[in-house]
Amino acid sequence: MSTETVPILMYHSVARVPSAATHALSVSPDAFARQMEVLGEQGFTPLTAAQLAAVWRSPGKALPERPVLITFDDGYEGVHRYALPVLAKHGFASTLFVSTGWLRGEYDTGGGLDRMLDWDQVRELAADGAEIGGHSHTHPELDQLDEGALRYELRRCRDIVADQLGTRPVSFAYPYGYSSRRVRERVRETGFRQALAVGNGLARRAQGPYALRRVTVRRTTGADEFERLVTGRALGRTFAKDRTLTKGYALVRRARQVRRKAIGSRV
């Protein structure tokens, strides 16, 4: 695997007994621990999203021989309870993308799908080397929002993270992986310097800083499949069904957008 391609692992919940809503995209604590052992045994060097993007923006800088990103979406409490000790044991960097309206505390909108982190736990993760990025405020499909709602989701998320951590977030992950040229432009305008999608492929510099691909790690990801994910082998076959469903749903979502625009033009 070339250092011009980088596996970005996308995790969600780490839990022994996840909620029904998060089960498919959760991993058990034992599986997560073993997966981190594999990264260590194979000589991978975990980076944050900001570190990867900074190197790719600077032609004179080089990535380590086997770079990898460990990312978590939404902000589930198990990331602190189960993942943090494992990451600390290995000295691994990670990136946590938080939906600020889902976390426990004064900004909680009640949308969290399982037990969520609170802000003290987020600060502990940051203190232990995790980059804290944005994942919107209430986790909507951003490309389905009008301009006002889109700007609110991005700015509200940015401002809450900045207020709680004392520094503005520079990395973003699109909820559900969905974006559009308009969404990417607004993410950039809000001050985020890079953003991650899904795509279930390796990240490449040519994708640009606002459309970096990730690969999904889920409950059914076994040891052999995990090794394929981090080495980039047989990703097309592994995620063939996911890509078919994604393409089909994209057509439905585009039809919705056209219909909304048509309705809006008649108002």
Side-chain angles (χ1 to χ4, degrees):
M1 183 179 64
S2 166
T3 56
E4 288 303 302
T5 60
V6 177
I8 303 181
L9 304 174
M10 181 181 69
Y11 289 94
H12 287 78
S13 169
V14 182
R16 296 198 185 283
V17 185
S19 68
T22 64
H23 186 274
L25 290 178
S26 70
V27 297
S28 72
D30 291 341
F32 181 78
R34 179 55 191 150
Q35 289 162 5
M36 295 304 100
E37 287 178 2
V38 168
L39 296 183
E41 290 166 358
Q42 296 194 8
F44 280 91
T45 300
L47 305 173
T48 66
Q51 289 170 335
L52 173 65
V55 171
W56 275 351
R57 280 192 174 96
S58 306
K61 292 186 178 181
L63 292 169
E65 186 174 348
R66 303 201 82 183
V68 66
L69 271 65
I70 303 162
T71 70
F72 302 92
D73 282 9
D74 302 345
Y76 297 101
E77 193 266 347
V79 175
H80 180 273
R81 178 179 299 187
Y82 299 115
L84 176 58
V86 175
L87 295 168
K89 172 185 173 183
H90 291 281
F92 285 173
S94 63
T95 305
L96 168 67
F97 296 104
V98 294
S99 294
T100 49
W102 282 14
L103 302 190
R104 288 182 291 134
E106 61 181 301
Y107 310 108
D108 189 352
T109 62
L113 301 179
D114 205 339
R115 183 169 178 80
M116 309 304 291
L117 295 163
D118 63 31
W119 284 101
D120 285 341
Q121 292 171 323
V122 174
R123 281 186 282 271
E124 285 185 41
L125 283 155
D128 273 42
E131 177 190 359
I132 309 302
H135 197 44
S136 79
H137 186 53
T138 63
H139 204 284
E141 297 178 13
L142 295 177
D143 59 341
Q144 301 294 303
L145 302 181
D146 62 30
E147 277 295 304
L150 174 59
R151 291 177 186 273
Y152 172 81
E153 284 288 334
L154 298 176
R155 293 174 179 176
R156 184 64 169 152
C157 175
R158 176 199 65 191
D159 293 346
I160 291 174
V161 173
D163 180 65
Q164 290 294 316
L165 301 183
T167 183
R168 280 190 174 190
V170 296
S171 300
F172 189 84
Y174 306 109
Y176 307 104
Y178 301 145
S179 70
S180 64
R181 179 178 296 180
R182 177 179 67 101
V183 170
R184 293 189 289 273
E185 288 175 352
R186 298 300 173 266
V187 167
R188 178 181 56 80
E189 291 169 3
T190 306
F192 294 102
R193 300 207 63 211
Q194 49 275 331
L196 279 58
V198 183
N200 286 314
L202 298 180
R204 292 174 168 81
R205 187 199 300 259
Q207 292 162 1
Y210 292 95
L212 296 174
R213 292 186 175 185
R214 294 187 286 176
V215 291
T216 308
V217 186
R218 48 195 162 192
R219 202 78 178 179
T220 57
T221 301
D224 291 343
E225 181 180 334
F226 184 78
E227 292 200 26
R228 291 197 297 271
L229 298 186
V230 296
T231 57
R233 290 183 287 112
L235 290 181
R237 185 169 68 250
T238 301
F239 293 107
K241 182 178 179 181
D242 301 70
R243 289 173 176 170
T244 299
L245 292 173
T246 298
K247 288 178 181 178
Y249 191 43
L251 293 174
V252 173
R253 293 167 62 248
R254 277 198 291 272
R256 288 177 185 168
Q257 288 177 313
V258 170
R259 181 173 179 272
R260 275 200 299 273
K261 288 180 180 178
I263 292 172
S265 66
R266 295 198 298 267
V267 174

